[in-house]
Structure formats: C-alpha cells, structure tokens
Amino acid sequence: MSSFGHIFKVTTAGESHGKSVSVIIENCPPNLPLVEEDIQPQLNRRRPGQSSITTPRDEKDRVTIHSGTENGRTLGTPILLTVPNEDQRPKDYGDKTIDLFPRPSHADWTYLEKYGIKASSGGGRSSARETIARVAAGTVAEKWLRQTYGVEIVAFVSSVGNINLFDSPADALSSDPSFLALEPTLTRDRVDEFLPVRCPHPDIARKMEDRIAELRDAHDSTGGTVTCIIRNAPSGLGEPCFDKLEATLAHAIMSIPAVKGFEIGSGFAGAAMKGSVHNDPFFVPETLSAEETSRLTGGLPKSKLQTRTNHSGGIQGGISNGMPIVFRVAFKPPATISQDQTTAKYDGTGEGVLAAKGRHDPCVVPRAVPIVEAMAALTVADAVMLQHSRQMGRSMQQ
C-alpha cells in the first residue's frame, strides 16, 4: 500500500523518472504554522547530488504546498505537497538489454511478477526517489510533535561497511559507554558538522568517507547502519497487541528502500544478556522541577518515573515509558553497481551479462538519515493521536 498511519495518515505517489513525487497528509491538526521553508531543510539533507560520495543526479527537491494551509497556518484539511523531478534521465535505461534481463537484487523481476508490468526506467515506485514524500510529510509531523510535546528526533550514521562508530558493534547500544555518553546531547546540527557522512566523530567519519569514495571509484557499493534517538516522546504510546509501538516503528522503518534489519534497545545483543542485567530498574528523579512533575501536554502526561538503564529502548510491553526511544537500522549495499553481472532473461530462455546504468549512491546511509527521522516522526505522531482518542473516550466515561 502507498498509505501509512491510522489517523495522521500519509499517502504518497510518484516514480523515479516521472514528473513529480507527491504526498497527501490527512488529519494534521489545524493552526500549525507551516510554510515551504519549514519542510525544505530536511529535503535538502536527503536530496541527491549533495557531495562527491552520493549520486550525481542533480535535483533541487523544491517542495510546494498546494492545499491545506492558508496564511502560513494549517487548516486541518488534507495537505498536498509536491516535489518535481527536474533531472530525470529515462534515456539512461534505454539499453535494450534491460528489457531482456532483470537487474540483480533490484525489484524489476518482482514487480513484473506482481503487476505484469514494470517501470521501464529506474526502479519506479521501488526507487528511493519515493522517499522524498516521506521526508516532506515526516517534517510536518515532527514540527507538530516538537511544538506540542517537545519531541526531538535525531539520527546519525553509526557504521559504513565494517567501519563502526562504536567500539563493540555486536554489543547492545544500551550498554555501550560511548553511545551512552553521546546520546543525551546529540543534535542534528552536531551530526551535520560531519558532512558528507553524518557520523558524529571526525576520525571515523573521515575513514567512512574514504571507504565510500574507494568503492565508488571501483564501481562497487557498501551498506551501513543508522541509529535513531527519539527524546521526550510521551509515555503511554502504543496499541497492544499487534500495533505495539516497536511493531509500528519496525513497520515504518522496514518499508524504507534498502533496509534489511531493525533492532530496538538492546536489540539482538539482548538475547545474550541475563535478565538480572537486562531489566531496567525504575526510580523517581530527585531533581524534577515542579513544572516538570505537573506538566500535562495535550492531555498526555510526562512520565514521573525513569529507568536507570534503557535496555528496553524506551518501550515496555509495546508501550512507551517516557525514556528515549533508541533503535538501529541496517541498510544493504545499493544494488546498482557499474560492473558486469550475470543474470537470466525474463523469459527463462538463457543467461547473460548486464552492466547496470544510471546514477546511484555507492552507500545510502548518509542520505538515509532524514528518511529514518521522518518515518520515526510519522509513527510517533500517529501513535499520539491514537492515544488522544483513547484519552478522550476515557474522559467521556468519567
């Protein structure tokens, strides 16, 4: 499906080499200040052509708000956002061999199997170009969350290939001293000090950049991981049993092109921990101000309890507990590499060799950072609205 969310709902449209990419946002609260300039910075962080280690496709990704606002404020009605494709080159896919052979690890074969037809240029709806719509909509969701609840979402590159930001990548982030020191103060501005890779460590970021450039020159590619932190999410978010908050986050994140793994809190490393270590003890903070303890934001209270550790990743029983929500995302190497690769004909009559063409990233994680942030924002915004509806029903019964 091309829609995501129950109440804060987004529906996207557009292909890689079509005229534009667009998104409709439903049920955005009214009277939210919103102009194109609020959305553009995140699109600029995602856009292609921003450095020598990304695709050279030169798109400005300028967003236009067509509906749902007036005089710079939302009306509560559907918001239509569009971004034109200005540097599309369908002729890059004019080689007849592409009509004969599916590209290895692309969606050419699977789309043809599903629909009986596929986009003749690029990946169509499977292309990461589609994520423009997610970032545009996610920026709107995030602005509402930030203004209403003080929610902060920041993601960063934590690995490229086998180059890791953290000393023990196989261990749980929730017990890694370097991550625990970084997590409380990391901001997007800090992350973007380390362009073009967006890894918040100068020496490691330089190694990552050099590795990506090396593979670019070798016409190869590599994967990596992005880590995301959500601060100040209200407690009580998540809908047992099948829409637990980590389940909807996983759904959102796994829908991003090239994502192959998702872990939250201790993640897979938690399977090797003892319960006596993994359990997160509750405590009452000694320094909570009167304002903090009494704050009610839109009917959703800020949690008065905290945990001394955060192996749960901010979610227990599928419901947010007020601690930072922390998760990590694994991206595979981009499938398009300018090397000859063996493949088979669509009609099954034989095999052949195909050299993929087009302009593509040798590693997607530097540009994936705002995409991960956007999908996190859409998930949390929808969860907040679902909890609002629950709170409203409960208050009507009292």
Side-chain angles (χ1 to χ4, degrees), residues 8-341:
F8 195 102
K9 184 177 180 179
V10 298
T11 301
T12 71
E15 288 82 34
S16 177
H17 293 271
K19 292 183 178 180
S20 65
V21 176
S22 61
V23 61
I24 295 175
I25 306 170
E26 296 181 71
N27 300 317
C28 178
N31 214 32
L32 176 72
L34 185 67
V35 293
E36 281 94 346
E37 289 74 15
D38 295 320
I39 303 169
Q40 196 61 52
Q42 280 291 82
L43 290 175
N44 292 343
R45 296 177 81 218
R46 194 223 70 95
R47 79 174 186 86
Q50 57 183 274
S51 78
S52 62
I53 61 168
T54 64
T55 170
R57 180 170 175 168
D58 186 18
E59 296 282 1
K60 300 301 183 288
D61 288 352
R62 299 182 182 91
V63 66
T64 299
I65 301 175
H66 291 273
S67 67
T69 67
E70 186 176 82
N71 299 321
R73 289 187 175 271
T74 58
L75 298 172
T77 54
I79 299 170
L80 171 62
L81 309 174
T82 65
V83 174
N85 291 329
E86 299 176 320
D87 191 31
Q88 71 271 49
R89 294 183 188 173
K91 64 180 181 294
D92 285 352
Y93 302 88
D95 189 336
K96 292 299 182 182
T97 57
I98 292 181
D99 294 332
L100 298 175
F101 299 101
R103 296 170 295 172
S105 287
H106 284 74
D108 302 339
W109 172 247
T110 52
Y111 266 60
L112 187 63
E113 285 287 280
K114 182 174 182 63
Y115 296 108
I117 190 172
K118 67 177 184 65
S120 61
S121 56
R125 284 293 282 167
S126 69
S127 167
R129 186 81 186 142
E130 167 267 327
T131 61
I132 295 170
R134 301 170 185 244
V135 173
T139 304
V140 177
E142 187 181 4
K143 181 168 187 180
W144 175 67
L145 288 169
R146 184 173 58 250
Q147 291 195 0
T148 309
Y149 299 97
V151 172
E152 298 176 355
I153 303 174
V154 57
F156 58 94
V157 172
S158 45
S159 73
V160 166
N162 60 2
I163 303 171
N164 293 278
L165 173 59
F166 305 116
D167 294 334
S168 302
D171 293 340
L173 280 179
S174 53
S175 56
D176 187 295
S178 56
F179 174 74
L180 295 176
L182 180 70
E183 183 270 324
T185 59
L186 191 63
T187 65
R188 283 187 191 167
D189 288 342
R190 177 66 174 159
V191 170
D192 282 354
E193 288 178 13
F194 299 96
L195 293 173
V197 178
R198 294 194 169 94
C199 173
H201 188 289
D203 295 335
I204 296 173
R206 194 173 301 111
K207 291 179 182 179
M208 290 177 173
E209 182 179 359
D210 290 345
R211 179 58 175 160
I212 296 171
E214 177 186 359
L215 288 168
R216 175 204 62 203
D217 295 342
H219 305 295
D220 216 329
S221 63
T222 189
T225 60
V226 172
T227 298
C228 186
I229 305 161
I230 307 173
R231 302 189 190 102
N232 301 324
S235 57
L237 305 183
E239 301 295 320
C241 289
F242 300 108
D243 285 336
K244 294 177 179 179
L245 187 56
E246 68 258 62
T248 54
L249 277 170
H251 175 188
I253 297 301
M254 291 295 292
S255 73
I256 298 172
V259 169
K260 287 298 183 182
F262 173 87
E263 62 176 1
I264 190 162
S266 62
F268 286 96
M273 297 170 70
K274 295 185 294 185
S276 57
V277 176
H278 193 275
N279 287 346
D280 297 319
F282 287 103
F283 74 103
V284 179
E286 298 175 358
T287 57
L288 277 181
S289 66
E291 178 184 358
E292 289 290 334
T293 55
S294 64
R295 184 169 72 127
L296 292 174
T297 311
L300 300 182
K302 182 180 179 66
S303 176
K304 294 184 177 70
L305 298 183
Q306 295 183 13
T307 59
R308 297 193 183 280
T309 55
N310 193 23
H311 299 303
S312 302
I315 301 173
Q316 295 170 325
I319 300 171
S320 61
N321 64 5
M323 294 294 289
I325 297 170
V326 180
F327 61 87
R328 183 161 49 182
V329 187
F331 287 82
K332 72 178 182 68
T336 301
I337 54 176
S338 298
Q339 295 185 21
D340 290 346
Q341 298 180 85

